[in-house]
């Protein structure tokens, strides 16, 4: 029994949801998101909520139940509030600059790293060591943040690199003399 799956997803005011042709579409003040529905789970849009139930009692249906409910919840959260991730860059000469639909990173390589920002995602650089990624699709925001972080992961000796805000980097002592 999924504890997450049991709870219906509450639809706030100003948000509408509809199911047609195996696709759930949620429309809100920030935009519209869609989700392809799984055959292992049944969905029902009721007054003010979306209920998710397993189609049968098979192990596969029960394992999809909680995940599908969370995906539906992310749709509703995205069109109402949106999602954001903040990356912090630490290191001598490391900097970032947003240029239109591109993000230019200088990370100590012999060349600059240019990253194309996908549709529906907004990237801001309030200062040259902070990158703010925001959008309505949680998966796209998290994927872009992971791709940016991949270019220079934080290292354990000096802590240089790109890290998420609030992420703790376990520091090593280094050599003893």
């Amino acid at each position: 029994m999924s504890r997450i799956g049991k709870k219906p997803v509450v639809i706030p005011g100003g948000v509408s949801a509809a199911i047609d042709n195996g696709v759930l579409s949620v429309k809100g003040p920030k935009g519209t998101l869609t989700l392809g529905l799984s055959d292992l789970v049944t969905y029902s849009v009721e007054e003010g909520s979306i209920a998710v139930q397993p189609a049968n009692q098979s192990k596969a249906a029960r394992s999809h139940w909680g995940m599908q409910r969370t995906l539906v919840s992310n749709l509703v959260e995205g069109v109402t509030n949106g999602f954001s991730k903040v990356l912090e860059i630490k290191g001598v000469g490391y900097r970032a600059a947003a240029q239109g639909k591109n993000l230019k990173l200088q990370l100590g390589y012999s060349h600059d790293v240019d990253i194309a920002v996908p549709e529906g995602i907004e990237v801001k650089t309030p200062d040259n060591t902070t990158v703010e990624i925001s959008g309505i699709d949680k998966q796209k925001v998290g994927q872009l943040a992971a791709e940016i972080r991949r270019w220079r992961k934080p290292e354990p000796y000096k802590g240089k690199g790109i890290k998420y805000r609030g992420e703790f980097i376990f520091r090593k002592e280094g050599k003893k003399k």
Side-chain angles (χ1 to χ4, degrees):
M1 214 53 182
S2 172
R3 293 177 188 210
I4 294 173
K6 285 184 203 176
K7 300 177 191 170
V9 178
V10 177
I11 301 174
V15 176
S16 63
I19 298 174
D20 50 297
N21 297 336
V23 175
L24 171 69
S25 61
V26 179
K27 187 180 233 179
K30 290 197 175 262
T32 303
L33 288 173
T34 59
L35 173 69
L37 302 180
S38 171
D39 295 335
L40 298 172
V41 180
T42 60
Y43 307 83
S44 61
V45 179
E46 298 153 5
E47 289 184 25
S49 68
I50 302 171
V52 179
Q53 295 295 324
N56 52 42
Q57 290 302 314
S58 68
K59 185 168 176 59
R62 287 182 287 124
S63 63
H64 273 77
W65 182 19
M67 180 193 65
Q68 290 296 316
R69 190 261 182 208
T70 302
L71 292 175
V72 170
S73 174
N74 287 342
L75 294 182
V76 173
E77 179 72 21
V79 298
T80 53
N81 302 326
F83 295 99
S84 68
K85 293 232 181 222
V86 179
L87 298 172
E88 297 172 342
I89 301 172
K90 184 176 177 190
V92 176
Y94 291 8
R95 60 182 58 96
Q99 299 173 338
K101 279 301 209 179
N102 286 327
L103 178 67
K104 183 178 218 128
L105 299 172
Q106 295 174 341
L107 299 172
Y109 296 118
S110 61
H111 55 84
D112 293 346
V113 176
D114 290 326
I115 298 174
V117 178
E119 268 314 302
I121 302 295
E122 183 180 341
V123 174
K124 291 186 266 184
T125 51
D127 58 17
N128 61 1
T129 60
T130 306
V131 178
E132 293 178 359
I133 305 164
S134 59
I136 61 172
D137 191 346
K138 185 175 187 175
Q139 195 275 329
K140 285 184 180 177
V141 170
Q143 183 67 37
L144 181 62
E147 288 173 6
I148 293 170
R149 185 179 184 271
R150 179 182 60 89
W151 280 99
R152 197 59 103 169
K153 289 184 180 172
E155 53 99 4
Y157 297 103
K158 291 185 178 178
K160 295 181 357 178
I162 302 173
K163 69 180 189 85
Y164 297 109
R165 178 168 284 167
E167 178 182 13
F168 179 75
I169 306 302
F170 185 74
R171 302 279 299 270
K172 293 185 178 179
E173 286 184 29
K175 291 185 177 177
K176 302 273 186 189
K177 290 188 180 186

